Amino acid sequence: QVQAVRRWGQIDTDLRAPRGFCMRQVTGVLIAVVMDRRGEVRQFEISEGPNGEAVTREVRRYRLDRAGAGCAIDPISRSIYFSHARGGFWRSTVDVSADATPVRLADASIRRLPRSLGAVYLTSNRNRYLASLDEDRTAFSIWRLEADTVVWAGGFEVREQAEGPVVRRLAGPAAY
């Protein structure tokens, strides 16, 4: 059987220049978060309409004091993490009944989080991680989520060579 990817719908928002987006299913609800360059954040719930069409509903809006380019949703803690180029990480919640005020988790040094373009949520058997991509699209920083903070776990770089892409460990434990 051939699988195909097709357009299902779109999210209409009042943001003029969206720059960050993340989406994840959390306890059976598909959640999408969009942010713009000014730090304005919109959270949506997406469901299927009676004719199979995408139905979006804005469920909350708030502002980050430092706009970033990436976000990642942790379905276990129901948290959303925002990355900022040189500012580190902030955490909020996707729970619409809770306070959405973002909390700054960690300052990131330029060496560890250089001009981040986004964040991705990763899990393993024991731990939960965020991976952030740097601005030149070659290096990744890995952060372990621990209680109310993030801890830098290491990083790696992918460089194009004549024989193809080469991965090089930059620093950190052998956790990968």
Side-chain angles (χ1 to χ4, degrees):
Q1 178 180 355
V2 176
Q3 298 281 331
V5 176
R6 64 178 176 83
R7 181 184 170 145
W8 183 37
Q10 67 185 37
I11 297 173
D12 294 322
T13 179
D14 63 340
L15 299 177
R16 283 182 274 148
R19 76 179 287 188
F21 175 81
C22 56
M23 185 168 65
R24 183 107 188 176
Q25 187 173 19
V26 179
T27 58
V29 177
L30 187 57
I31 296 171
V33 177
V34 181
M35 65 189 135
D36 71 5
R37 293 185 185 279
R38 298 169 298 155
E40 294 294 329
V41 177
R42 305 293 183 263
Q43 180 178 320
F44 299 90
E45 290 182 356
I46 304 172
S47 59
E48 187 172 339
N51 298 316
E53 74 279 7
V55 176
T56 60
R57 181 172 67 93
E58 184 179 311
V59 294
R60 71 171 5 155
R61 53 176 59 204
Y62 52 95
R63 183 175 178 85
L64 299 169
D65 53 317
R66 294 185 82 182
C71 61
I73 298 170
D74 175 356
I76 296 169
S77 68
R78 301 179 57 84
S79 297
I80 180 165
Y81 295 89
F82 298 95
S83 65
H84 180 270
R86 293 190 184 148
F89 288 101
W90 280 260
R91 182 188 67 223
S92 184
T93 179
V94 294
D95 185 350
V96 294
S97 63
D99 180 13
T101 304
V103 175
R104 189 173 192 168
L105 291 179
D107 292 333
S109 71
I110 293 171
R111 178 180 69 82
R112 290 188 178 164
L113 188 62
R115 296 194 178 273
S116 174
L117 289 178
V120 176
Y121 173 78
L122 308 168
T123 59
S124 71
N125 290 337
R126 296 174 289 138
N127 297 303
R128 299 175 354 255
Y129 298 93
L130 294 175
S132 59
L133 173 64
D134 79 358
E135 188 174 50
D136 74 359
R137 294 177 169 82
T138 60
F140 295 84
S141 293
I142 308 297
W143 301 81
R144 188 175 54 255
L145 299 171
E146 291 185 358
D148 290 333
T149 191
V150 291
V151 177
W152 189 68
F156 63 94
E157 182 177 71
V158 180
R159 292 284 181 186
E160 192 64 40
Q161 304 291 326
E163 63 275 8
V166 174
V167 177
R168 181 174 67 115
R169 190 176 74 165
L170 297 176
Y176 311 109

